[in-house]
């Protein structure tokens, strides 16, 4: 046989276009000289060239090709292949190729038998895989395709499998239907359970919790009643259903009214707190009755606080008086304006008054103490003088020196505004000095003023004996003390009036 005009070489893994099986690595490959498609050498010879549609390259057109095999021998092998006896056809080709190993027709028939047996084996393997996995529909498809390549024996085996498949397919369909129905049933049951659970645990949650609280209801004493009210209030805060919130409100109204009625004599404040929880529009008559009783108890305590405040104010205990007034304000604040009309302003005024008294109290005590001290100091200074005249004969001259009249006389303008002449003897005073001296009247001092004779009272200063070392400085000290004493007494008079102010609220 002449050599085929195409490239044959060792190459990587490719797929033969004729038999569609893989070409092993490093095996011989025939490449179509026209479209460069790879083939097994045997497949190339069997197909008499390229199998690609549109290429059409054929080896028979080569003038160098020849066929030395007789036609009747080829017919026999073709018959075996058509009868699907591929093993016998392969064996027949092998035996004849030993005699003519380059015979193209033999190789073509050999490759055709091998190709068919490979296809059959592959289809049967795929069918077996689907059969074993229980996928009978796909198994049936591959087995039916394999029948085109099977002889009588293989066909009987495949047919037995197909009979099993035809029997199992309805069962499989029925099983799938049952499975689908069961799945749907389970889904429906789960949905029903979910809806029922939602209804029970969510929709009926308020009802269950309310009935649980109601079943443990205990109002045998005040403490248990308060606990029960607290439970209903907590329930009301998170209850979603308005129906059960209203029922909780009814319970709270009833129990709060009951507690207020029980507590108002001993603790009207707590009773007032629970009365605020009562809906006055639903329990009008009970609400008004309890509210009146609470008000009367609060009024009693209010009057006691006011009496205490007035008593403490009279005794000078202003802090306690202020505390009593503030307690009275706290009582008043529990009630609306119409209950203590006009009282709030008086109470606030009394608080401001007592705050002023408290703030001035230390000052008041200090003024009294300083007055006592100044009187003592003044007595000590006076005791250092020598008593020459009776106190009934002397008067105190206080004023400013306005001039020197000569002969030991000075003109003094007294604090009363009168002009007098004062004989100070050997004591010298300068114009502008402020003096306070005990004196006795000694007639009048006459002088000419603008051609007119005038006279002013004249006094002689009573001065201590020189042996007692009494100086003018002592008179200054006494004057300062007397002035400070006068100021302190005016302060005390103001503070006395402040401390004696009565409270507005009686």
């Amino acid at each position: 046989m002449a050599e085929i005009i195409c490239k044959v070489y060792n190459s990587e893994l490719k797929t033969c276009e004729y038999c569609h099986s893989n070409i092993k690595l490093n095996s011989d490959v025939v490449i179509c000289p026209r479209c460069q498609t790879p083939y097994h050498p045997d497949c190339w010879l069997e197909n008499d060239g390229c199998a690609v549609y549109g290429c059409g390259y054929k080896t028979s057109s080569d003038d160098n090709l020849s066929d030395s095999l007789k036609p009747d021998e080829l017919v026999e092998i073709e018959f075996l292949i058509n009868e699907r006896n591929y093993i016998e056809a392969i064996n027949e080709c092998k035996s004849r190729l030993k005699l003519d190993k380059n015979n193209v027709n033999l190789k073509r028939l050999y490759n055709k038998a091998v190709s068919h047996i490979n296809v059959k084996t592959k289809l049967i393997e795929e069918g077996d895989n689907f059969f074993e996995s229980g996928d009978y529909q796909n198994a049936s498809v591959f087995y039916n395709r394999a029948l085109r390549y099977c002889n009588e024996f293989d066909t009987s085996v495949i047919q037995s499998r197909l009979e099993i498949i035809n029997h199992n397919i309805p069962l499989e369909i029925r099983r799938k239907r049952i499975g689908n129905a069961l799945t749907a049933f389970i889904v429906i049951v789960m949905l029903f359970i979910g809806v029922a659970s939602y209804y029970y645990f969510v929709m009926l949650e308020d009802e269950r919790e309310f009935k649980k609280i109601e079943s443990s209801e205990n109002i045998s004493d005040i403490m248990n009643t308060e606990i029960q009210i607290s439970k209903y209030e907590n329930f009301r805060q998170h209850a979603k259903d308005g129906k059960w919130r209203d029922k909780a409100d009814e319970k709270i109204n009833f129990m709060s009214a009951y507690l207020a009625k029980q507590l108002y004599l001993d603790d009207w404040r707590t009773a007032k707190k629970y009365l605020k929880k009562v809906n006055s529009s639903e329990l009008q008559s009970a609400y008004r009755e309890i509210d009146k009783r609470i008000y009367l108890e609060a009024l009693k305590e209010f009057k006691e606080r006011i009496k205490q405040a007035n008593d403490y104010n009279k005794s000078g205990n202003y802090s306690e008086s202020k505390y009593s007034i503030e307690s009275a304000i706290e009582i008043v604040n529990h009630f609306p304006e119409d209950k203590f009309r006009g009282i709030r302003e008086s109470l606030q005024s009394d608080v401001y008054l007592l705050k002023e008294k408290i703030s001035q109290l230390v000052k008041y005590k200090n003024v009294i103490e300083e007055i006592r001290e100044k009187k003592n100091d003044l007595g000590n200074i006076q005791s250092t003088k020598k008593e020459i005249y009776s106190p009934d004969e002397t008067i105190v001259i206080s004023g400013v020196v306005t001039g020197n009249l000569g002969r030991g006389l000075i003109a003094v303008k007294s604090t009363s505004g009168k002009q007098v002449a004062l004989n100070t003897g050997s004591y010298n005073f300068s114009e502008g000095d402020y003096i306070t001296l005990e004196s006795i009247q000694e007639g009048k001092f006459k002088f000419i003023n603008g051609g007119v004779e005038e006279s002013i009272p004249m006094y002689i200063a009573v001065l201590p004996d020189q042996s007692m070392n009494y100086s003018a400085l002592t008179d200054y000290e006494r004057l300062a003390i007397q002035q400070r004493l006068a100021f302190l007494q005016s302060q005390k008079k103001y503070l006395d009036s402040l401390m004696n102010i009565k409270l507005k609220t009686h």
Side-chain angles (χ1 to χ4, degrees):
M1 174 179 154
E3 188 173 350
I4 300 174
I5 305 173
C6 62
K7 246 199 276 187
V8 180
Y9 64 101
N10 294 333
S11 178
E12 59 184 6
L13 185 64
K14 293 180 180 293
T15 302
C16 177
E17 187 63 23
Y18 180 72
C19 68
H20 299 289
S21 59
N22 294 331
I23 301 172
K24 294 182 180 180
L25 188 65
N26 297 324
S27 62
D28 291 338
V29 177
V30 176
I31 303 300
C32 175
R34 182 176 293 173
C35 65
Q36 304 297 312
T37 301
Y39 293 88
H40 292 107
D42 294 337
C43 293
W44 174 264
L45 294 174
E46 179 181 348
N47 193 49
D48 193 24
C50 185
V52 176
Y53 179 78
C55 178
Y57 183 86
K58 296 296 180 181
T59 60
S60 59
S61 62
D62 193 340
D63 295 335
N64 294 325
L65 292 180
S66 64
D67 188 1
S68 60
L69 195 64
K70 296 179 180 180
D72 56 343
E73 294 176 343
L74 294 175
V75 171
E76 182 180 354
I77 297 174
E78 286 279 3
F79 175 77
L80 291 174
I81 293 175
N82 292 334
E83 289 295 320
R84 303 182 181 88
N85 293 320
Y86 305 119
I87 301 298
E88 294 181 12
I90 290 171
N91 292 332
E92 188 67 25
C93 288
K94 285 181 178 180
S95 61
R96 294 180 183 276
L97 284 171
K98 289 179 181 179
L99 300 175
D100 187 4
K101 62 180 181 179
N102 294 324
N103 191 300
V104 174
N105 290 325
L106 280 176
K107 289 184 178 181
R108 178 176 61 81
L109 294 174
Y110 174 83
N111 290 330
K112 183 177 181 180
V114 171
S115 175
H116 286 182
I117 200 169
N118 287 338
V119 171
K120 180 189 73 172
T121 302
K122 187 174 182 180
L123 290 172
I124 292 175
E125 286 179 354
E126 292 292 334
D128 290 343
N129 291 334
F130 284 114
F131 183 85
E132 291 174 1
S133 65
D135 190 352
Y136 300 118
Q137 290 183 344
N138 284 325
S140 175
V141 171
F142 280 94
Y143 283 148
N144 283 317
R145 289 180 182 176
L147 286 175
R148 291 181 292 178
Y149 301 95
C150 293
N151 55 23
E152 293 181 0
F153 176 76
D154 292 334
T155 299
S156 63
V157 175
I158 297 296
Q159 289 294 345
S160 64
R161 287 289 181 94
L162 288 173
E163 290 177 2
I164 296 173
I165 288 173
N166 292 332
H167 175 72
N168 288 336
I169 283 179
L171 295 177
E172 182 181 1
I173 293 173
R174 188 163 51 250
R175 185 168 60 251
K176 287 183 178 180
R177 289 177 179 175
I178 294 173
N180 292 337
L182 183 61
T183 302
F185 175 75
I186 293 173
V187 170
I188 292 172
V189 171
M190 293 300 292
L191 287 174
F192 175 78
I193 294 174
V195 171
S197 300
Y198 177 80
Y199 179 76
Y200 180 77
F201 290 105
V202 178
M203 302 300 291
L204 298 182
E205 180 183 9
D206 292 343
E207 181 180 356
R208 289 186 292 104
E209 186 175 354
F210 181 86
K211 290 183 176 179
K212 181 180 178 181
I213 297 172
E214 190 177 36
S215 65
S216 63
E217 196 171 284
N218 182 6
I219 56 173
S220 58
D221 54 42
I222 291 174
M223 180 178 294
N224 284 323
T225 306
E226 288 179 334
I227 293 172
Q228 201 67 27
I229 290 174
S230 177
K231 288 181 179 180
Y232 282 118
E233 287 177 336
N234 291 335
F235 166 79
R236 193 191 183 287
Q237 289 179 357
H238 63 264
K240 304 178 184 66
D241 193 339
K243 170 186 174 182
W244 297 105
R245 282 201 302 270
D246 293 341
K247 288 184 176 293
D249 286 337
E250 292 175 3
K251 292 286 187 179
I252 293 171
N253 281 342
F254 170 75
M255 293 183 182
S256 297
Y258 169 78
L259 266 187
K261 190 173 182 179
Q262 297 295 319
L263 289 171
Y264 79 94
L265 287 174
D266 298 325
D267 186 358
W268 65 264
R269 289 176 177 82
T270 304
K272 184 72 174 175
K273 181 185 76 172
Y274 282 105
L275 186 63
K276 289 180 179 179
K277 299 176 185 288
V278 177
N279 189 334
S280 58
S281 61
E282 295 181 2
L283 301 172
Q284 292 182 3
S285 111
Y287 183 91
R288 285 197 297 268
E289 179 187 355
I290 298 171
D291 185 56
K292 181 179 179 181
R293 292 182 182 182
I294 291 173
Y295 170 71
L296 292 176
E297 289 300 316
L299 186 60
K300 289 181 184 178
E301 184 178 341
F302 174 80
K303 291 180 178 180
E304 290 176 3
R305 295 295 184 185
I306 295 301
K307 183 179 181 301
Q308 290 174 356
N310 282 283
D311 292 341
Y312 284 130
N313 183 59
K314 289 178 183 179
S315 63
N317 193 346
Y318 305 120
S319 295
E320 290 297 329
S321 179
K322 175 175 170 289
Y323 174 76
S324 297
I325 292 293
E326 289 173 343
S327 299
I329 292 175
E330 183 267 335
I331 294 172
V332 170
N333 288 337
H334 281 87
F335 298 89
E337 289 287 343
D338 59 340
K339 294 291 186 181
F340 290 89
R341 192 179 303 277
I343 297 293
R344 287 176 170 82
E345 292 76 10
S346 297
L347 292 172
Q348 289 297 338
S349 176
D350 289 338
V351 169
Y352 296 145
L353 174 62
L354 291 169
K355 285 182 178 180
E356 181 65 19
K357 287 185 177 185
I358 292 170
S359 66
Q360 297 293 336
L361 189 58
V362 174
K363 179 180 178 180
Y364 183 59
K365 292 179 179 179
N366 292 336
V367 166
I368 293 175
E369 179 64 23
E370 191 174 354
I371 288 175
R372 186 186 63 78
E373 292 175 357
K374 295 303 179 185
K375 285 183 176 180
N376 289 337
D377 292 343
L378 188 62
N380 291 334
I381 292 175
Q382 290 176 345
S383 66
T384 61
K385 297 192 304 178
K386 181 179 179 181
E387 293 289 333
I388 301 176
Y389 300 96
S390 169
D392 296 336
E393 300 175 351
T394 63
I395 63 173
V396 176
I397 300 296
S398 296
V400 179
V401 177
T402 59
N404 193 338
L405 302 176
R407 294 179 298 173
L409 292 173
I410 59 174
V412 178
K413 186 176 182 179
S414 67
T415 55
S416 64
K418 294 181 179 181
Q419 193 76 26
V420 299
L422 185 62
N423 188 349
T424 59
S426 60
Y427 288 92
N428 295 321
F429 295 96
S430 302
E431 186 176 350
D433 289 344
Y434 189 91
I435 64 171
T436 300
L437 297 174
E438 290 187 10
S439 308
I440 60 173
Q441 189 167 3
E442 187 67 24
K444 292 188 178 292
F445 175 76
K446 296 180 180 181
F447 62 95
I448 304 298
N449 183 17
V452 179
E453 184 180 23
E454 295 182 1
S455 65
I456 59 175
M458 184 176 68
Y459 296 87
I460 299 175
V462 178
L463 299 174
D465 195 319
Q466 294 291 335
S467 63
M468 298 182 68
N469 198 24
Y470 183 80
S471 65
L473 182 61
T474 305
D475 293 315
Y476 292 141
E477 291 176 350
R478 183 174 62 175
L479 176 61
I481 292 172
Q482 288 174 338
Q483 290 175 339
R484 178 63 180 171
L485 189 59
F487 173 76
L488 292 173
Q489 287 174 340
S490 66
Q491 288 290 308
K492 181 177 180 298
K493 184 177 180 180
Y494 164 75
L495 294 172
D496 284 338
S497 64
L498 175 65
M499 300 304 172
N500 291 328
I501 296 176
K502 295 181 179 180
L503 300 179
K504 286 186 177 182
T505 312
H506 300 287

